[in-house]
């Protein structure tokens, strides 16, 4: 009989049992390594969300706090609903255009054999994807504003061009959304294996047939995930729109700022929190769509 099957002598530990016990103890304590992250998430995300939801569902009357759904109802009617709709329309349009143009640029970069071009485009995309706010608005005012250089040279004003409008915001948002899509798409395009294209060519498939039956179906999760990511980025943008259009274009982020500061009507702070809660719900839906798509794309391309 092998020695490892012999029963342990009375009073002696079973061989391997001590190691297994130590592994179980280490496994039971492994969650402690995530404790700093959990504390950070609770303080930086949990508390603000909790205060937003609490403020959205309560109101102060005569110094007493009462639970109410009036704030949420107000946030979904009238001008506030128009601002939500305007933000969704702007985000969806810019995300769609950004996905198409970003994917085309990423494909050109991947197929290029010049490493310097690839590195230059990826570096520039990393910088431009994080370039926003007031500096971006000022750059566009100096370029495409009423007295902007390009506006004056190309006489865009006589053609009806206005930077301080919905189309102007579309152009500005694309400035940082397209580079973001390039950064998202390049790893996915790199994951398309050359053997798939060679197999398709050997089977007599054209380039269009390869993309229609192989490339696009494989990249579809990445495309949809990129669209969702771009939508979320455009939906949460505030500083650029605030510096450029003010209240002329209805956006939910601008409405929240107006309600909190009392620019239009005093005592709308809880409605602003209700609008923030609406944005959290939409962002949650966006992430609920994005994460499964990201996992599926990773399974195909790695």
């Amino acid at each position: 009989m092998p020695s490892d099957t012999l029963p342990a002598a009375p009073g002696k530990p079973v061989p391997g049992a001590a190691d297994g016990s130590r592994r179980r103890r280490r496994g039971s304590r492994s969650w402690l390594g995530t404790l700093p992250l959990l504390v950070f998430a609770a303080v930086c995300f949990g508390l603000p969300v909790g205060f937003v939801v609490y403020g959205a569902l309560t109101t102060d009357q005569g110094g007493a706090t009462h639970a109410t759904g009036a704030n949420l109802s107000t946030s979904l009617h009238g001008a506030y609903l128009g601002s939500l709709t305007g933000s969704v329309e702007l985000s969806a349009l810019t995300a769609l255009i950004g996905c198409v143009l970003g994917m085309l640029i990423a494909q050109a970069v991947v197929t290029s054999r010049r490493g310097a071009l690839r590195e230059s485009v990826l570096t520039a995309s990393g910088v431009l994807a994080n370039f926003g706010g007031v500096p971006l608005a000022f750059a566009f005012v100096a370029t495409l504003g009423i007295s902007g250089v390009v506006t004056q040279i190309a006489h865009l004003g006589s053609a009806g061009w206005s930077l301080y409008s919905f189309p102007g915001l579309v152009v500005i948002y694309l400035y940082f959304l397209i580079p973001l899509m390039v950064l998202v798409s390049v790893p996915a395009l790199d994951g398309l294996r050359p053997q798939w294209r060679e197999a398709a060519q050997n089977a007599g498939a054209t380039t269009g047939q390869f993309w229609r039956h192989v490339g696009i179906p494989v990249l579809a999760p990445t495309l949809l995930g990129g669209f969702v990511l771009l939508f979320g980025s455009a939906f949460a943008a505030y500083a650029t729109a605030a510096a450029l259009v003010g209240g002329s274009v209805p956006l939910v982020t601008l409405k929240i700022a107006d309600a909190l500061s009392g620019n239009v009507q005093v005592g709308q702070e809880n409605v602003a929190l209700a609008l923030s809660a609406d944005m959290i719900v939409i962002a949650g839906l966006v992430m609920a769509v994005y994460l499964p798509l990201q996992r599926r794309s990773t399974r195909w391309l790695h």
Side-chain angles (χ1 to χ4, degrees):
M1 180 180 291
S3 60
D4 58 352
T5 60
L6 290 174
K12 294 183 178 181
V14 177
D19 294 340
S21 178
R22 282 195 294 269
R23 283 196 295 270
R24 283 194 295 273
R25 285 198 296 270
R26 284 197 298 269
S28 63
R29 297 174 181 174
S30 62
W31 66 274
L32 292 175
T34 63
L35 189 58
L37 177 62
L38 295 177
V39 172
F40 175 81
V43 173
C44 296
F45 296 100
L47 285 180
V49 171
F51 281 118
V52 166
V53 174
Y54 176 78
L57 298 177
T58 59
T59 183
D60 293 330
Q61 293 180 351
T65 302
H66 301 280
T68 179
N71 299 321
L72 290 175
S73 178
T74 303
S75 69
L76 298 176
H77 289 85
Y80 294 118
L81 179 60
S83 65
L84 273 174
T85 305
S87 289
V88 171
E89 290 176 349
L90 177 64
S91 304
L93 178 61
T94 54
L96 178 62
I97 299 174
C99 278
V100 175
L101 297 181
M103 182 62 76
L104 293 176
I105 295 174
Q107 173 64 14
V109 170
V110 170
T111 54
S112 174
R113 296 182 179 180
R114 299 180 179 179
L117 175 63
R118 178 190 177 98
E119 295 299 327
S120 300
V121 172
L122 293 181
T123 301
S125 298
V127 174
L128 297 178
N130 295 282
F131 185 52
V134 176
L136 178 62
F138 174 76
F140 268 88
V141 168
T143 307
L144 291 172
I146 297 176
S147 301
V149 177
V150 177
T151 303
Q152 295 298 320
I153 294 176
H155 304 288
L156 296 179
S158 59
W161 164 255
S162 175
L163 181 65
Y164 314 101
S165 62
F166 188 90
L169 280 183
V170 171
V171 173
I172 294 179
Y173 279 25
L174 289 177
Y175 189 79
F176 59 86
L177 291 181
I178 291 176
L180 180 59
M181 188 62 190
V182 172
L183 295 177
V184 172
S185 304
V186 167
L189 290 171
D190 284 335
L192 279 180
R193 300 171 185 172
Q195 294 86 347
W196 296 347
R197 184 187 295 273
E198 295 172 359
Q201 291 175 345
N202 292 335
T206 63
T207 301
Q209 290 173 328
F210 167 77
W211 281 106
R212 187 166 62 254
H213 297 290
V214 179
I216 292 179
V218 171
L219 294 175
T222 299
L223 287 170
L224 294 175
F227 174 83
V228 172
L229 183 63
L230 267 57
F231 178 89
S233 298
F235 190 69
Y238 164 72
T240 303
L244 198 66
V245 300
S248 60
V249 177
L251 297 177
V252 65
T253 50
L254 303 181
K255 285 293 182 184
I256 291 174
D258 290 340
L260 287 175
S261 60
N263 283 344
V264 180
Q265 189 175 358
V266 180
Q268 297 295 300
E269 294 83 1
N270 289 63
V271 177
L273 295 176
L275 284 171
S276 302
D278 296 338
M279 289 190 67
I280 292 173
V281 171
I282 295 176
L285 295 175
V286 167
M287 294 307 299
V289 174
Y290 173 71
L291 292 179
L293 291 173
Q294 186 68 21
R295 284 197 293 269
R296 182 174 180 181
S297 175
T298 303
R299 185 171 67 249
W300 270 99
L301 298 174
H302 292 84

